[in-house]
Amino acid sequence: MSEGIIVIKKGREKPIIQQHPWIFSGAIDSVRGDPTPGDIVTVTNHEGAFLARGYWNPRSQIQVRILTWQDEPITDDWWRSRLHRAIKGRDRYVHLYSQETACRMVNAENDWLPGLIVDRYGDWLVLQALTLGIDQRKTLLAGLLMEIIAPNGVYERSDVDVRGKEGLKAAVGELAGQPPPERITITENDFSFQVDVRHGHKTGYYLDQRANRAILKDVCLERAASDTQNEQVRALNLFSYTGGFGLYALGGGAEYVVNVDASREALELAETNFVLNRFASDHAEFIQADVFDYLHDQVAEGALYDVIVCDPPKFAHNAGQVERAARGYKDLNLNCFKLVKPGGYLMTFSCSGAIDADLFQKIVFGALADSGRQAQIVKHLTQAEDHPVALTFPEGAYLKGLLLRVY
Ligand code: SAH
């Protein structure tokens, strides 16, 4: 076995030099040596000059994920120092929100650790290995995380579809330390949430929406304070999952929130979370329904809300799905516009990486035009700051949203 060398086609080295971390099969001229899938390989230009080093998977369209642009060996110490840097980068976050007990610690390509997600929930870490290169090293990485962060344990939630593109099956279970309890209680902006890291979505919870949930609370506070007709603020939380936005709405003085989700388990946990935060049950409703159908019925009934949050799952998984996804977003937003009281707010999101912020804004504009309403952009919204985006990796900015005032 000899070290693998990946030779890049002449004229295709520019993105690599500009530190984009992905090398697609079409940019590769030849593979020299005898690498095994998952191995560390050296990337050179057509003249043999060093460009980068990364891990290799010939089964994936992204054949190399770059780990470093320096000619340095990828040792256990290398992984330790990369993890350390990502974790240190969260110090600012920990300092800003000292009471918080949940945080993304490693954000894959954006922390120059492609394919690796690590989220902290209280005393446990949840690891997601999205690629073969990370999957092969997950025991080493879990051990290093035990050493650096000293959690009670590291649990794996590598049950995501993208692993299929790497030739990997789902993998779930303990990687290091003690197994996590059925539910972990976290604190976020003074609210408590129970997180099911074993069965919940992603690694258990949508940490990326933390800052936007806090913005929603402020919106509700303003709306409650400015309500001259002394009417109570009613909020609609679409795609509620475990109730995050809904809880913040009540925390911001909303009188009533309707949470809608297709998942019974998510709604059960949402109800538990409302009780945990001492909100009386007559202030919230938990409706299991398809949001598209529910909105249709609400419009027919002439329902109105002061504040609506619309946070659907990813509709476009690739460029080929953008058109269909756009129709879905437009339909949702059109009905949302119809349901907002004049002067009320719509907070609307897309987490589809294939739909950028400009396109999303155009889609929402299209929905507005059909609704006959008027709206202002009050804020552009994005993912929370523990989900930073590497400047050389625009794909990292997947969550976009608009806070709109609607008349
Ligand atoms: N806003 C949430 C996260 C939403 S994730 C938070 O801050 O935690 C998207 C949710 O949409 C999931 O809970 C999923 O169960 C739900 N979902 C997906 N498709 C749906 C549909 N057509 N109707 C209702 N809910 C749906």
Side-chain angles (χ1 to χ4, degrees), residues 193 201 205-210 213 237-246 260-264 266-267 287-293 309-315 332 349 351:
F193 286 94
H201 295 175
Y205 184 67
Y206 289 84
L207 291 167
D208 54 357
Q209 288 285 24
R210 179 196 309 104
R213 285 190 277 264
N237 182 19
L238 301 169
F239 307 97
S240 66
Y241 189 49
T242 55
F245 280 104
V260 186
D261 201 282
S263 157
R264 169 77 355 232
L267 289 167
I287 296 177
Q288 185 181 8
D290 181 289
V291 164
F292 288 87
D293 297 341
V309 178
C310 183
D311 182 25
K314 196 194 278 188
F315 287 163
L332 280 178
F349 294 99
C351 62

mmCIF file of all heavy atoms in Angstrom, residues 193 201 205-210 213 237-246 260-264 266-267 287-293 309-315 332 349 351, ligand 1:
data_model
loop_
_atom_site.group_PDB
_atom_site.id
_atom_site.type_symbol
_atom_site.label_atom_id
_atom_site.label_comp_id
_atom_site.label_asym_id
_atom_site.label_seq_id
_atom_site.Cartn_x
_atom_site.Cartn_y
_atom_site.Cartn_z
ATOM 1 N N PHE A 193 -35.931 23.106 27.781
ATOM 2 C CA PHE A 193 -36.452 22.181 26.776
ATOM 3 C C PHE A 193 -35.965 20.781 27.074
ATOM 4 O O PHE A 193 -34.799 20.599 27.422
ATOM 5 C CB PHE A 193 -35.947 22.559 25.376
ATOM 6 C CG PHE A 193 -36.595 23.771 24.807
ATOM 7 C CD1 PHE A 193 -36.008 25.026 24.969
ATOM 8 C CD2 PHE A 193 -37.786 23.673 24.115
ATOM 9 C CE1 PHE A 193 -36.609 26.160 24.446
ATOM 10 C CE2 PHE A 193 -38.394 24.797 23.585
ATOM 11 C CZ PHE A 193 -37.808 26.042 23.748
ATOM 12 N N HIS A 201 -35.229 14.849 15.813
ATOM 13 C CA HIS A 201 -34.679 15.225 14.505
ATOM 14 C C HIS A 201 -33.243 15.725 14.646
ATOM 15 O O HIS A 201 -32.861 16.216 15.690
ATOM 16 C CB HIS A 201 -35.516 16.350 13.876
ATOM 17 C CG HIS A 201 -36.910 15.933 13.557
ATOM 18 N ND1 HIS A 201 -37.865 16.795 13.085
ATOM 19 C CD2 HIS A 201 -37.513 14.726 13.653
ATOM 20 C CE1 HIS A 201 -38.983 16.141 12.890
ATOM 21 N NE2 HIS A 201 -38.812 14.891 13.242
ATOM 22 N N TYR A 205 -32.507 18.489 18.334
ATOM 23 C CA TYR A 205 -33.130 19.797 18.530
ATOM 24 C C TYR A 205 -32.604 20.755 17.467
ATOM 25 O O TYR A 205 -31.512 20.531 16.920
ATOM 26 C CB TYR A 205 -32.738 20.295 19.930
ATOM 27 C CG TYR A 205 -33.352 21.584 20.383
ATOM 28 C CD1 TYR A 205 -34.719 21.674 20.630
ATOM 29 C CD2 TYR A 205 -32.565 22.718 20.594
ATOM 30 C CE1 TYR A 205 -35.275 22.867 21.058
ATOM 31 C CE2 TYR A 205 -33.114 23.902 21.029
ATOM 32 C CZ TYR A 205 -34.472 23.971 21.258
ATOM 33 O OH TYR A 205 -35.022 25.148 21.679
ATOM 34 N N TYR A 206 -33.366 21.820 17.174
ATOM 35 C CA TYR A 206 -32.946 22.788 16.148
ATOM 36 C C TYR A 206 -32.206 23.960 16.801
ATOM 37 O O TYR A 206 -32.761 25.033 17.014
ATOM 38 C CB TYR A 206 -34.161 23.256 15.336
ATOM 39 C CG TYR A 206 -34.683 22.164 14.441
ATOM 40 C CD1 TYR A 206 -35.572 21.205 14.919
ATOM 41 C CD2 TYR A 206 -34.247 22.037 13.132
ATOM 42 C CE1 TYR A 206 -36.024 20.169 14.114
ATOM 43 C CE2 TYR A 206 -34.685 21.002 12.313
ATOM 44 C CZ TYR A 206 -35.576 20.079 12.811
ATOM 45 O OH TYR A 206 -36.008 19.049 12.011
ATOM 46 N N LEU A 207 -30.941 23.705 17.099
ATOM 47 C CA LEU A 207 -30.121 24.745 17.734
ATOM 48 C C LEU A 207 -29.965 25.960 16.817
ATOM 49 O O LEU A 207 -29.783 27.081 17.292
ATOM 50 C CB LEU A 207 -28.729 24.185 18.038
ATOM 51 C CG LEU A 207 -28.646 23.125 19.134
ATOM 52 C CD1 LEU A 207 -27.295 22.442 19.104
ATOM 53 C CD2 LEU A 207 -28.893 23.759 20.494
ATOM 54 N N ASP A 208 -30.045 25.735 15.502
ATOM 55 C CA ASP A 208 -29.788 26.825 14.550
ATOM 56 C C ASP A 208 -30.815 27.951 14.629
ATOM 57 O O ASP A 208 -30.557 29.056 14.161
ATOM 58 C CB ASP A 208 -29.699 26.276 13.117
ATOM 59 C CG ASP A 208 -30.905 25.441 12.707
ATOM 60 O OD1 ASP A 208 -31.801 25.215 13.538
ATOM 61 O OD2 ASP A 208 -30.942 25.011 11.533
ATOM 62 N N GLN A 209 -31.987 27.704 15.226
ATOM 63 C CA GLN A 209 -33.035 28.721 15.291
ATOM 64 C C GLN A 209 -33.027 29.493 16.618
ATOM 65 O O GLN A 209 -33.932 30.300 16.868
ATOM 66 C CB GLN A 209 -34.413 28.058 15.122
ATOM 67 C CG GLN A 209 -34.706 27.576 13.705
ATOM 68 C CD GLN A 209 -35.046 28.730 12.762
ATOM 69 O OE1 GLN A 209 -34.664 29.880 12.996
ATOM 70 N NE2 GLN A 209 -35.756 28.443 11.707
ATOM 71 N N ARG A 210 -32.046 29.260 17.453
ATOM 72 C CA ARG A 210 -32.044 29.868 18.794
ATOM 73 C C ARG A 210 -32.221 31.378 18.750
ATOM 74 O O ARG A 210 -33.091 31.944 19.414
ATOM 75 C CB ARG A 210 -30.748 29.508 19.524
ATOM 76 C CG ARG A 210 -30.626 30.088 20.905
ATOM 77 C CD ARG A 210 -29.217 30.035 21.442
ATOM 78 N NE ARG A 210 -28.599 28.732 21.345
ATOM 79 C CZ ARG A 210 -27.684 28.397 20.439
ATOM 80 N NH1 ARG A 210 -27.280 29.281 19.556
ATOM 81 N NH2 ARG A 210 -27.153 27.206 20.427
ATOM 82 N N ARG A 213 -35.642 32.510 17.586
ATOM 83 C CA ARG A 213 -36.675 32.339 18.602
ATOM 84 C C ARG A 213 -36.676 33.544 19.541
ATOM 85 O O ARG A 213 -37.731 34.042 19.936
ATOM 86 C CB ARG A 213 -36.440 31.039 19.386
ATOM 87 C CG ARG A 213 -36.812 29.792 18.594
ATOM 88 C CD ARG A 213 -36.801 28.547 19.478
ATOM 89 N NE ARG A 213 -35.472 27.990 19.629
ATOM 90 C CZ ARG A 213 -34.975 26.995 18.900
ATOM 91 N NH1 ARG A 213 -35.705 26.436 17.961
ATOM 92 N NH2 ARG A 213 -33.772 26.535 19.107
ATOM 93 N N ASN A 237 -47.739 28.797 15.239
ATOM 94 C CA ASN A 237 -46.391 28.231 15.102
ATOM 95 C C ASN A 237 -46.457 27.024 14.171
ATOM 96 O O ASN A 237 -46.819 25.928 14.592
ATOM 97 C CB ASN A 237 -45.865 27.847 16.496
ATOM 98 C CG ASN A 237 -44.458 27.289 16.464
ATOM 99 O OD1 ASN A 237 -43.723 27.490 15.493
ATOM 100 N ND2 ASN A 237 -44.074 26.585 17.510
ATOM 101 N N LEU A 238 -46.114 27.252 12.900
ATOM 102 C CA LEU A 238 -46.235 26.195 11.893
ATOM 103 C C LEU A 238 -44.951 25.384 11.807
ATOM 104 O O LEU A 238 -43.862 25.959 11.815
ATOM 105 C CB LEU A 238 -46.540 26.819 10.531
ATOM 106 C CG LEU A 238 -47.826 27.652 10.480
ATOM 107 C CD1 LEU A 238 -47.907 28.451 9.180
ATOM 108 C CD2 LEU A 238 -49.061 26.769 10.640
ATOM 109 N N PHE A 239 -45.075 24.065 11.693
ATOM 110 C CA PHE A 239 -43.926 23.147 11.739
ATOM 111 C C PHE A 239 -43.239 23.315 13.100
ATOM 112 O O PHE A 239 -42.061 23.621 13.189
ATOM 113 C CB PHE A 239 -42.942 23.405 10.594
ATOM 114 C CG PHE A 239 -43.586 23.406 9.227
ATOM 115 C CD1 PHE A 239 -43.962 24.593 8.614
ATOM 116 C CD2 PHE A 239 -43.822 22.216 8.551
ATOM 117 C CE1 PHE A 239 -44.554 24.604 7.355
ATOM 118 C CE2 PHE A 239 -44.408 22.217 7.287
ATOM 119 C CZ PHE A 239 -44.772 23.416 6.686
ATOM 120 N N SER A 240 -44.029 23.113 14.145
ATOM 121 C CA SER A 240 -43.606 23.521 15.499
ATOM 122 C C SER A 240 -42.522 22.633 16.100
ATOM 123 O O SER A 240 -41.862 23.036 17.047
ATOM 124 C CB SER A 240 -44.814 23.502 16.427
ATOM 125 O OG SER A 240 -45.270 22.160 16.588
ATOM 126 N N TYR A 241 -42.381 21.398 15.594
ATOM 127 C CA TYR A 241 -41.488 20.420 16.215
ATOM 128 C C TYR A 241 -41.774 20.366 17.724
ATOM 129 O O TYR A 241 -42.920 20.191 18.115
ATOM 130 C CB TYR A 241 -40.019 20.723 15.875
ATOM 131 C CG TYR A 241 -39.065 19.632 16.294
ATOM 132 C CD1 TYR A 241 -39.314 18.302 15.977
ATOM 133 C CD2 TYR A 241 -37.922 19.912 17.022
ATOM 134 C CE1 TYR A 241 -38.452 17.285 16.369
ATOM 135 C CE2 TYR A 241 -37.048 18.902 17.423
ATOM 136 C CZ TYR A 241 -37.329 17.597 17.094
ATOM 137 O OH TYR A 241 -36.473 16.605 17.490
ATOM 138 N N THR A 242 -40.783 20.563 18.601
ATOM 139 C CA THR A 242 -41.036 20.387 20.036
ATOM 140 C C THR A 242 -41.451 21.695 20.718
ATOM 141 O O THR A 242 -41.314 21.839 21.928
ATOM 142 C CB THR A 242 -39.812 19.769 20.740
ATOM 143 O OG1 THR A 242 -38.659 20.573 20.462
ATOM 144 C CG2 THR A 242 -39.550 18.362 20.226
ATOM 145 N N GLY A 243 -41.957 22.639 19.928
ATOM 146 C CA GLY A 243 -42.621 23.810 20.507
ATOM 147 C C GLY A 243 -41.760 25.043 20.689
ATOM 148 O O GLY A 243 -42.224 26.036 21.256
ATOM 149 N N GLY A 244 -40.522 25.027 20.212
ATOM 150 C CA GLY A 244 -39.579 26.117 20.458
ATOM 151 C C GLY A 244 -40.149 27.520 20.252
ATOM 152 O O GLY A 244 -40.262 28.301 21.204
ATOM 153 N N PHE A 245 -40.529 27.838 19.011
ATOM 154 C CA PHE A 245 -41.028 29.188 18.744
ATOM 155 C C PHE A 245 -42.293 29.490 19.561
ATOM 156 O O PHE A 245 -42.499 30.617 20.008
ATOM 157 C CB PHE A 245 -41.314 29.364 17.243
ATOM 158 C CG PHE A 245 -40.096 29.639 16.405
ATOM 159 C CD1 PHE A 245 -39.541 28.662 15.609
ATOM 160 C CD2 PHE A 245 -39.510 30.912 16.416
ATOM 161 C CE1 PHE A 245 -38.421 28.920 14.828
ATOM 162 C CE2 PHE A 245 -38.389 31.173 15.637
ATOM 163 C CZ PHE A 245 -37.848 30.173 14.842
ATOM 164 N N GLY A 246 -43.123 28.475 19.749
ATOM 165 C CA GLY A 246 -44.376 28.684 20.484
ATOM 166 C C GLY A 246 -44.134 29.107 21.926
ATOM 167 O O GLY A 246 -44.799 30.015 22.450
ATOM 168 N N VAL A 260 -48.567 23.641 15.204
ATOM 169 C CA VAL A 260 -49.009 22.631 14.227
ATOM 170 C C VAL A 260 -47.798 21.851 13.713
ATOM 171 O O VAL A 260 -46.795 22.446 13.305
ATOM 172 C CB VAL A 260 -49.712 23.308 13.015
ATOM 173 C CG1 VAL A 260 -50.303 22.238 12.089
ATOM 174 C CG2 VAL A 260 -50.791 24.274 13.479
ATOM 175 N N ASP A 261 -47.914 20.532 13.759
ATOM 176 C CA ASP A 261 -46.840 19.673 13.221
ATOM 177 C C ASP A 261 -47.455 18.342 12.807
ATOM 178 O O ASP A 261 -48.499 17.941 13.315
ATOM 179 C CB ASP A 261 -45.743 19.445 14.280
ATOM 180 C CG ASP A 261 -44.422 19.019 13.650
ATOM 181 O OD1 ASP A 261 -44.295 17.833 13.272
ATOM 182 O OD2 ASP A 261 -43.521 19.873 13.533
ATOM 183 N N ALA A 262 -46.796 17.671 11.894
ATOM 184 C CA ALA A 262 -47.294 16.372 11.437
ATOM 185 C C ALA A 262 -46.921 15.255 12.409
ATOM 186 O O ALA A 262 -47.533 14.190 12.404
ATOM 187 C CB ALA A 262 -46.710 16.063 10.060
ATOM 188 N N SER A 263 -45.925 15.490 13.257
ATOM 189 C CA SER A 263 -45.391 14.419 14.107
ATOM 190 C C SER A 263 -46.026 14.423 15.497
ATOM 191 O O SER A 263 -45.908 15.396 16.247
ATOM 192 C CB SER A 263 -43.867 14.588 14.219
ATOM 193 O OG SER A 263 -43.390 13.957 15.376
ATOM 194 N N ARG A 264 -46.674 13.301 15.821
ATOM 195 C CA ARG A 264 -47.305 13.140 17.145
ATOM 196 C C ARG A 264 -46.239 13.199 18.248
ATOM 197 O O ARG A 264 -46.402 13.878 19.257
ATOM 198 C CB ARG A 264 -48.081 11.813 17.139
ATOM 199 C CG ARG A 264 -48.612 11.273 18.401
ATOM 200 C CD ARG A 264 -49.879 11.837 19.057
ATOM 201 N NE ARG A 264 -50.552 12.996 18.505
ATOM 202 C CZ ARG A 264 -50.878 14.086 19.215
ATOM 203 N NH1 ARG A 264 -50.585 14.195 20.479
ATOM 204 N NH2 ARG A 264 -51.519 15.084 18.664
ATOM 205 N N ALA A 266 -43.332 14.678 18.261
ATOM 206 C CA ALA A 266 -42.822 16.044 18.437
ATOM 207 C C ALA A 266 -43.822 16.870 19.235
ATOM 208 O O ALA A 266 -43.439 17.619 20.148
ATOM 209 C CB ALA A 266 -42.563 16.693 17.077
ATOM 210 N N LEU A 267 -45.111 16.710 18.940
ATOM 211 C CA LEU A 267 -46.128 17.505 19.639
ATOM 212 C C LEU A 267 -46.246 17.088 21.103
ATOM 213 O O LEU A 267 -46.468 17.930 21.979
ATOM 214 C CB LEU A 267 -47.481 17.369 18.935
ATOM 215 C CG LEU A 267 -47.557 18.078 17.578
ATOM 216 C CD1 LEU A 267 -48.799 17.644 16.813
ATOM 217 C CD2 LEU A 267 -47.564 19.600 17.751
ATOM 218 N N ILE A 287 -51.694 20.804 17.475
ATOM 219 C CA ILE A 287 -52.521 20.189 16.435
ATOM 220 C C ILE A 287 -51.666 19.335 15.511
ATOM 221 O O ILE A 287 -50.702 19.831 14.910
ATOM 222 C CB ILE A 287 -53.252 21.285 15.629
ATOM 223 C CG1 ILE A 287 -54.220 22.023 16.574
ATOM 224 C CG2 ILE A 287 -54.001 20.684 14.441
ATOM 225 C CD1 ILE A 287 -54.946 23.168 15.942
ATOM 226 N N GLN A 288 -52.031 18.068 15.414
ATOM 227 C CA GLN A 288 -51.330 17.180 14.479
ATOM 228 C C GLN A 288 -52.024 17.289 13.129
ATOM 229 O O GLN A 288 -53.175 16.887 12.975
ATOM 230 C CB GLN A 288 -51.357 15.740 14.985
ATOM 231 C CG GLN A 288 -50.533 14.833 14.104
ATOM 232 C CD GLN A 288 -50.559 13.390 14.548
ATOM 233 O OE1 GLN A 288 -51.324 13.008 15.444
ATOM 234 N NE2 GLN A 288 -49.727 12.578 13.934
ATOM 235 N N ALA A 289 -51.343 17.876 12.180
ATOM 236 C CA ALA A 289 -51.950 18.072 10.860
ATOM 237 C C ALA A 289 -50.859 18.328 9.832
ATOM 238 O O ALA A 289 -49.726 18.678 10.180
ATOM 239 C CB ALA A 289 -52.905 19.268 10.894
ATOM 240 N N ASP A 290 -51.237 18.189 8.581
ATOM 241 C CA ASP A 290 -50.373 18.632 7.489
ATOM 242 C C ASP A 290 -50.550 20.152 7.398
ATOM 243 O O ASP A 290 -51.681 20.636 7.269
ATOM 244 C CB ASP A 290 -50.816 17.952 6.194
ATOM 245 C CG ASP A 290 -49.935 18.371 5.034
ATOM 246 O OD1 ASP A 290 -50.035 19.537 4.585
ATOM 247 O OD2 ASP A 290 -49.149 17.548 4.581
ATOM 248 N N VAL A 291 -49.474 20.891 7.474
ATOM 249 C CA VAL A 291 -49.576 22.355 7.526
ATOM 250 C C VAL A 291 -50.264 22.915 6.270
ATOM 251 O O VAL A 291 -51.047 23.856 6.364
ATOM 252 C CB VAL A 291 -48.183 22.998 7.734
ATOM 253 C CG1 VAL A 291 -48.211 24.487 7.414
ATOM 254 C CG2 VAL A 291 -47.708 22.786 9.163
ATOM 255 N N PHE A 292 -49.995 22.324 5.120
ATOM 256 C CA PHE A 292 -50.618 22.820 3.878
ATOM 257 C C PHE A 292 -52.143 22.752 3.986
ATOM 258 O O PHE A 292 -52.842 23.721 3.681
ATOM 259 C CB PHE A 292 -50.122 22.002 2.672
ATOM 260 C CG PHE A 292 -48.695 22.282 2.307
ATOM 261 C CD1 PHE A 292 -47.653 21.582 2.909
ATOM 262 C CD2 PHE A 292 -48.380 23.257 1.374
ATOM 263 C CE1 PHE A 292 -46.336 21.841 2.581
ATOM 264 C CE2 PHE A 292 -47.059 23.521 1.026
ATOM 265 C CZ PHE A 292 -46.043 22.809 1.636
ATOM 266 N N ASP A 293 -52.643 21.617 4.475
ATOM 267 C CA ASP A 293 -54.097 21.445 4.622
ATOM 268 C C ASP A 293 -54.633 22.371 5.710
ATOM 269 O O ASP A 293 -55.683 22.989 5.560
ATOM 270 C CB ASP A 293 -54.445 19.991 5.022
ATOM 271 C CG ASP A 293 -54.021 19.015 3.943
ATOM 272 O OD1 ASP A 293 -53.810 19.452 2.790
ATOM 273 O OD2 ASP A 293 -53.892 17.819 4.267
ATOM 274 N N VAL A 309 -45.246 32.045 12.575
ATOM 275 C CA VAL A 309 -43.910 31.515 12.267
ATOM 276 C C VAL A 309 -44.095 30.346 11.311
ATOM 277 O O VAL A 309 -44.929 29.474 11.557
ATOM 278 C CB VAL A 309 -43.195 31.008 13.540
ATOM 279 C CG1 VAL A 309 -41.832 30.408 13.188
ATOM 280 C CG2 VAL A 309 -43.043 32.130 14.549
ATOM 281 N N CYS A 310 -43.311 30.348 10.227
ATOM 282 C CA CYS A 310 -43.402 29.258 9.254
ATOM 283 C C CYS A 310 -41.992 28.711 9.016
ATOM 284 O O CYS A 310 -41.181 29.341 8.353
ATOM 285 C CB CYS A 310 -44.014 29.792 7.957
ATOM 286 S SG CYS A 310 -44.253 28.499 6.726
ATOM 287 N N ASP A 311 -41.706 27.563 9.618
ATOM 288 C CA ASP A 311 -40.340 27.006 9.593
ATOM 289 C C ASP A 311 -40.363 25.574 9.059
ATOM 290 O O ASP A 311 -40.158 24.615 9.804
ATOM 291 C CB ASP A 311 -39.764 27.059 11.018
ATOM 292 C CG ASP A 311 -38.337 26.543 11.073
ATOM 293 O OD1 ASP A 311 -37.642 26.588 10.036
ATOM 294 O OD2 ASP A 311 -37.915 26.099 12.167
ATOM 295 N N PRO A 312 -40.629 25.430 7.759
ATOM 296 C CA PRO A 312 -40.793 24.075 7.203
ATOM 297 C C PRO A 312 -39.481 23.304 7.124
ATOM 298 O O PRO A 312 -38.403 23.892 7.208
ATOM 299 C CB PRO A 312 -41.338 24.346 5.793
ATOM 300 C CG PRO A 312 -40.895 25.714 5.452
ATOM 301 C CD PRO A 312 -40.788 26.478 6.738
ATOM 302 N N PRO A 313 -39.572 21.987 6.922
ATOM 303 C CA PRO A 313 -38.346 21.203 6.694
ATOM 304 C C PRO A 313 -37.771 21.549 5.327
ATOM 305 O O PRO A 313 -38.363 22.303 4.565
ATOM 306 C CB PRO A 313 -38.859 19.756 6.714
ATOM 307 C CG PRO A 313 -40.284 19.858 6.289
ATOM 308 C CD PRO A 313 -40.782 21.171 6.812
ATOM 309 N N LYS A 314 -36.615 20.958 5.020
ATOM 310 C CA LYS A 314 -35.954 21.228 3.741
ATOM 311 C C LYS A 314 -36.818 20.682 2.601
ATOM 312 O O LYS A 314 -37.117 19.488 2.572
ATOM 313 C CB LYS A 314 -34.595 20.502 3.765
ATOM 314 C CG LYS A 314 -33.630 20.977 2.706
ATOM 315 C CD LYS A 314 -32.474 20.016 2.564
ATOM 316 C CE LYS A 314 -31.402 20.242 3.616
ATOM 317 N NZ LYS A 314 -30.196 19.432 3.356
ATOM 318 N N PHE A 315 -37.250 21.560 1.689
ATOM 319 C CA PHE A 315 -38.047 21.101 0.544
ATOM 320 C C PHE A 315 -37.159 20.726 -0.645
ATOM 321 O O PHE A 315 -37.519 19.875 -1.427
ATOM 322 C CB PHE A 315 -39.027 22.198 0.084
ATOM 323 C CG PHE A 315 -40.195 22.421 1.014
ATOM 324 C CD1 PHE A 315 -40.954 23.583 0.919
ATOM 325 C CD2 PHE A 315 -40.555 21.483 1.971
ATOM 326 C CE1 PHE A 315 -42.037 23.800 1.754
ATOM 327 C CE2 PHE A 315 -41.643 21.685 2.817
ATOM 328 C CZ PHE A 315 -42.384 22.851 2.706
ATOM 329 N N LEU A 332 -47.284 28.033 0.839
ATOM 330 C CA LEU A 332 -47.296 28.246 2.297
ATOM 331 C C LEU A 332 -47.370 29.732 2.623
ATOM 332 O O LEU A 332 -48.195 30.179 3.432
ATOM 333 C CB LEU A 332 -46.001 27.718 2.916
ATOM 334 C CG LEU A 332 -45.838 26.241 3.192
ATOM 335 C CD1 LEU A 332 -44.453 25.990 3.760
ATOM 336 C CD2 LEU A 332 -46.911 25.765 4.167
ATOM 337 N N PHE A 349 -39.220 31.032 6.896
ATOM 338 C CA PHE A 349 -37.877 30.464 6.713
ATOM 339 C C PHE A 349 -37.814 29.470 5.555
ATOM 340 O O PHE A 349 -38.814 28.863 5.177
ATOM 341 C CB PHE A 349 -37.461 29.678 7.968
ATOM 342 C CG PHE A 349 -37.288 30.524 9.179
ATOM 343 C CD1 PHE A 349 -38.302 30.618 10.129
ATOM 344 C CD2 PHE A 349 -36.123 31.243 9.383
ATOM 345 C CE1 PHE A 349 -38.144 31.406 11.261
ATOM 346 C CE2 PHE A 349 -35.956 32.032 10.510
ATOM 347 C CZ PHE A 349 -36.966 32.115 11.448
ATOM 348 N N CYS A 351 -34.777 26.311 4.913
ATOM 349 C CA CYS A 351 -33.474 25.732 5.274
ATOM 350 C C CYS A 351 -32.917 24.918 4.111
ATOM 351 O O CYS A 351 -32.034 24.092 4.296
ATOM 352 C CB CYS A 351 -33.576 24.907 6.556
ATOM 353 S SG CYS A 351 -34.690 23.508 6.412
HETATM 354 N N1 SAH B 1 -39.408 25.280 14.214
HETATM 355 C C1 SAH B 1 -38.893 24.075 14.812
HETATM 356 C C2 SAH B 1 -38.222 23.169 13.808
HETATM 357 C C3 SAH B 1 -39.093 22.731 12.648
HETATM 358 S S1 SAH B 1 -38.472 21.334 11.834
HETATM 359 C C4 SAH B 1 -37.974 24.437 15.962
HETATM 360 O O1 SAH B 1 -37.593 25.621 16.116
HETATM 361 O O2 SAH B 1 -37.611 23.549 16.743
HETATM 362 C C5 SAH B 1 -39.730 20.914 10.728
HETATM 363 C C6 SAH B 1 -40.940 20.202 11.341
HETATM 364 O O3 SAH B 1 -41.909 20.089 10.321
HETATM 365 C C7 SAH B 1 -40.725 18.797 11.864
HETATM 366 O O4 SAH B 1 -41.106 18.753 13.211
HETATM 367 C C8 SAH B 1 -41.646 17.901 11.016
HETATM 368 O O5 SAH B 1 -42.298 16.913 11.794
HETATM 369 C C9 SAH B 1 -42.657 18.885 10.509
HETATM 370 N N2 SAH B 1 -43.287 18.615 9.215
HETATM 371 C C10 SAH B 1 -42.713 18.238 8.062
HETATM 372 N N3 SAH B 1 -43.611 18.261 7.051
HETATM 373 C C11 SAH B 1 -44.795 18.660 7.584
HETATM 374 C C12 SAH B 1 -46.094 18.908 7.050
HETATM 375 N N4 SAH B 1 -46.349 18.763 5.757
HETATM 376 N N5 SAH B 1 -47.054 19.351 7.894
HETATM 377 C C13 SAH B 1 -46.791 19.503 9.208
HETATM 378 N N6 SAH B 1 -45.574 19.316 9.762
HETATM 379 C C14 SAH B 1 -44.590 18.890 8.963
#
